[in-house]
Amino acid sequence: MGKTNEPKGVHRAHLWEIGMYALNNTSTNLYMVLVGYISYFLVGIVGVGVVLAGSIVTIMRVWDGVTDPFVGMIVDKTNTKFGKNRPFIVIGNVILFSMTWLMFNILPKVPQGARFPVYIVMYMIYIIGYTFQCVVTKSAQSCLTNDPKQRPIFAMFDSTYNLLAMSVIIPVYVTGTLMPKFTVTDGAKIDALVAQNASLAKLVETAEDGTRSLSAFYNPEFFQYFQLVIGGIAVVFAICAIIGLWRKDRQEYFGTGKVQKITFRDYVDVLAHNRGIQMLVVAASSDKLSLSMMSNSTVMICLFGVICGEYAYYGSLSAISAVPVLILTLLGMNNIARRLGQKKALVVGTLGSLASAALMLALFVLGNPTSMKYPTFSLTKLSTWGGLFKASNWSMFGVLFILIYCLLKGFSSIASSIVIPMTADCADYEVYRSGKYVPGLMGTLFSFVDKVISSLATTFVALMFAAIGFSEVLPTPTTPYSTSIFWVTMACFLGAPVIGWLLNIVAMKFYPLTKEKMEEIQDRIAEIKAEAMKG
């Protein structure tokens, strides 16, 4: 893997370079997790209604749609001494950190009537930063390596990082550390917070004994502290990604090996005739929408806190399932994607996800969710992990749930992770098809789909819960159970993903980039580069 040049124009990256470059996606995903709690911030601190809070992220994607094509065109036209892609990691990460810090630290101090318009401006700038850094995750794939057997390695690293961060460390950290730390039970502090933010008054919960509490999700200090943790880690990951790209982010590894003039007409031609990117966008967007609804913070609160009766299970489930899910994902990537091609890996992952979702629904309908029992953990108290091996800490429902959940997450991780390196195949296909190298277009197209679809998930979830009576406040772990909450949660947790996975199957029927086709494409690109060098 250490060679830079291979026969037939194949160039490879070192394993450590791929591993460090993959951290760029983790860096932007960390901000996605942070902003995933924004509905609670808008309801509690900014003071907007639940439906508007859920819809505003989607509404802001109009601005996103305007900025994405311009960012993609800038990337395609960029070739500096610092490379084509690395400048956008730096610019994007600076914007992301500064805007989220201002959002959570300065916005609560703005007069109540001005908070919402100020938030809109901050979020507009935040979107630009997210686009700048996120586009590199896709656009730099083709210059890092064009070896069809090596490209899936990115997905293996990416899956490992995101699984550990999103499914283990952050959930356990939020539920086991931040929630206890920032849930307010002191009456004087509750009164002080309500005095600063009148919108918090209706969110204070009163127990039967008269004691009051305010959920950590409505405490401004929760967001301020969480932003510093997320932002600091994201900066470190961005620096690692820059180092990973340092050797390969050069003109000799770009598309045709020479500078090209890219016009708007070229973009139109790509979108109209590149069947690979067309079908991949369909698969990725449907998959993104379903998985965003499945992992939505409100859905998780209802699934574990309301239906199962213990929100702490959310964090411990992720910790327990992480290793099995990771093993299943890596086996799928290595034995399917690297041997049979990336298209085949997406299809197998999708079929496995559909079967697992059917088993999960049967478990919740036929079983008793309140009987769920398995160990809960604290990330800061390692002694609590010993309960994992005590039979008394487990129930049959808990065991079955974890087994099915591991299958569900493992197969869905294969399907969702492989689409990122598949964008590099689509970029190479365009060089093969038209002679144009437009990784920026591919990257921003996916960035746009990623953000629009994930924001639609927030809106859909908010509308569904508003339809059953949660139009003013969102459910919390202490919300009483109801049949309507159960079925809305199941529709988001399992129903939406099934629809997305079915669309994956349809899209892959028309996706042309098989393993054999990609080998033909790389041979042709090698000829194009050779011709360019002679010229």
Side-chain angles (χ1 to χ4, degrees):
M1 291 188 182
K3 296 180 181 180
T4 59
N5 294 289
E6 297 290 340
K8 298 183 179 180
V10 173
H11 65 88
R12 297 173 176 174
H14 297 294
L15 186 62
W16 68 265
E17 290 175 318
I18 301 175
M20 296 190 77
Y21 162 65
L23 286 170
N24 187 67
N25 194 42
T26 312
S27 177
T28 54
N29 281 344
L30 288 174
Y31 278 104
M32 186 172 66
V33 171
L34 174 65
V35 176
Y37 291 93
I38 200 69
S39 293
Y40 289 92
F41 181 80
L42 291 174
V43 171
I45 288 83
V46 178
V48 302
V50 169
V51 174
L52 180 57
S55 302
I56 190 60
V57 179
T58 302
I59 296 172
M60 290 299 296
R61 294 322 191 202
V62 175
W63 170 246
D64 209 349
V66 172
T67 60
D68 272 351
F70 288 103
V71 172
M73 188 171 291
I74 292 172
V75 172
D76 289 335
K77 291 177 177 292
T78 297
N79 186 21
T80 70
K81 293 182 178 180
F82 193 53
K84 173 184 282 289
N85 297 284
R86 286 170 290 167
F88 297 95
I89 298 179
V90 175
I91 297 171
N93 201 261
V94 169
I95 294 175
L96 288 174
F97 185 92
S98 59
M99 284 302 104
T100 52
W101 188 89
L102 290 172
M103 195 181 298
F104 297 132
N105 288 272
I106 303 302
L107 195 58
K109 300 176 183 178
V110 173
Q112 187 80 43
R115 285 178 194 170
F116 187 61
V118 172
Y119 163 78
I120 293 295
V121 174
M122 289 181 176
Y123 199 80
M124 290 175 69
I125 301 175
Y126 165 88
I127 286 174
I128 296 175
Y130 187 90
T131 302
F132 268 79
Q133 186 174 352
C134 190
V135 66
V136 178
T137 299
K138 290 85 175 178
S139 65
Q141 292 265 344
S142 57
C143 73
L144 189 64
T145 176
N146 67 355
D147 184 351
K149 292 184 179 180
Q150 198 176 49
R151 278 182 176 168
I153 295 176
F154 169 89
M156 297 170 71
F157 276 111
D158 188 47
S159 298
T160 303
Y161 298 152
N162 289 326
L163 189 64
L164 291 175
M166 315 308 169
S167 298
V168 181
I169 298 175
I170 293 179
V172 174
Y173 183 59
V174 170
T175 59
T177 302
L178 294 188
M179 282 193 67
K181 180 181 178 69
F182 292 105
T183 295
V184 185
T185 56
D186 179 76
K189 186 170 184 179
I190 290 176
D191 292 335
L193 289 172
V194 171
Q196 296 173 5
N197 299 283
S199 56
L200 292 174
K202 61 184 179 182
L203 303 174
V204 177
E205 299 179 351
T206 304
E208 293 181 358
D209 60 0
T211 58
R212 296 182 299 159
S213 65
L214 181 67
S215 172
F217 296 131
Y218 296 124
N219 184 353
E221 295 178 1
F222 165 83
F223 292 97
Q224 294 162 5
Y225 188 91
F226 199 22
Q227 187 276 334
L228 287 177
V229 173
I230 292 293
I233 297 173
V235 167
V236 173
F237 286 175
I239 293 173
C240 290
I242 291 172
I243 295 172
L245 275 176
W246 200 274
R247 181 174 66 91
K248 301 300 290 289
D249 194 19
R250 303 204 312 264
Q251 177 68 49
E252 64 190 273
Y253 297 110
F254 299 163
T256 62
K258 64 179 182 180
V259 178
Q260 290 183 311
K261 181 180 180 180
I262 304 298
T263 65
F264 182 75
R265 181 177 296 178
D266 295 320
Y267 276 24
V268 173
D269 180 66
V270 170
L271 295 175
H273 299 102
N274 190 315
R275 180 55 61 87
I277 197 66
Q278 290 172 353
M279 294 299 101
L280 193 58
V281 164
V282 172
S285 59
S286 59
D287 197 64
K288 184 67 177 183
L289 175 60
S290 60
L291 293 181
S292 296
M293 292 182 68
M294 183 182 187
S295 61
N296 181 271
S297 57
T298 302
V299 174
M300 292 296 98
I301 287 171
C302 289
L303 182 69
F304 294 99
V306 179
I307 297 175
C308 297
E310 180 55 70
Y311 183 55
Y313 285 143
Y314 174 38
S316 59
L317 167 71
S318 301
I320 293 170
S321 63
V323 173
V325 169
L326 181 59
I327 291 174
L328 183 58
T329 303
L330 295 182
L331 286 175
M333 295 294 183
N334 188 61
N335 294 306
I336 302 174
R338 297 189 69 193
R339 295 183 181 182
L340 303 178
Q342 300 185 127
K343 174 182 177 179
K344 181 68 70 174
L346 194 151
V347 172
V348 172
T350 300
L351 292 174
S353 300
L354 287 168
S356 302
L359 291 175
M360 183 67 78
L361 181 61
L363 177 66
F364 269 87
V365 172
L366 301 177
N368 179 15
T370 58
S371 68
M372 179 183 284
K373 185 180 180 182
Y374 51 81
T376 56
F377 305 98
S378 171
L379 191 64
T380 56
K381 297 180 180 179
L382 298 181
S383 59
T384 61
W385 289 67
L388 180 66
F389 305 101
K390 294 181 180 180
S392 59
N393 289 337
W394 295 84
S395 69
M396 181 57 69
F397 188 97
V399 171
L400 291 174
F401 177 77
I402 287 178
L403 290 175
I404 298 173
Y405 183 84
C406 288
L407 291 174
L408 180 64
K409 293 293 291 184
F411 281 116
S412 63
S413 180
I414 294 173
S416 61
S417 298
I418 201 66
V419 298
I420 295 179
M422 287 174 77
T423 60
D425 289 352
C426 293
D428 287 344
Y429 175 58
E430 188 58 35
V431 177
Y432 167 86
R433 189 191 71 84
S434 67
K436 296 294 184 180
Y437 180 58
V438 286
L441 171 62
M442 304 297 176
T444 52
L445 182 60
F446 263 77
S447 177
F448 174 66
V449 170
D450 175 270
K451 289 175 285 185
V452 170
I453 296 301
S454 60
S455 66
L456 282 173
T458 304
T459 301
F460 288 163
V461 170
L463 289 173
M464 293 179 73
F465 278 98
I468 60 173
F470 292 92
S471 57
E472 295 296 327
V473 296
L474 291 168
T476 67
T478 59
T479 299
Y481 171 86
S482 68
T483 303
S484 58
I485 288 181
F486 175 84
W487 284 111
V488 166
T489 302
M490 288 297 106
C492 296
F493 183 61
L494 297 173
V498 165
I499 295 174
W501 292 323
L502 290 174
L503 289 174
N504 278 4
I505 298 297
V506 174
M508 287 300 100
K509 288 287 186 180
F510 302 95
Y511 183 77
L513 304 183
T514 61
K515 178 185 177 182
E516 295 73 21
K517 185 65 176 180
M518 287 309 303
E519 292 174 352
E520 175 189 337
I521 288 172
Q522 295 305 338
D523 288 345
R524 175 55 187 152
I525 291 178
E527 295 174 0
I528 293 174
K529 286 186 176 181
E531 293 170 1
M533 292 178 65
K534 291 179 180 179

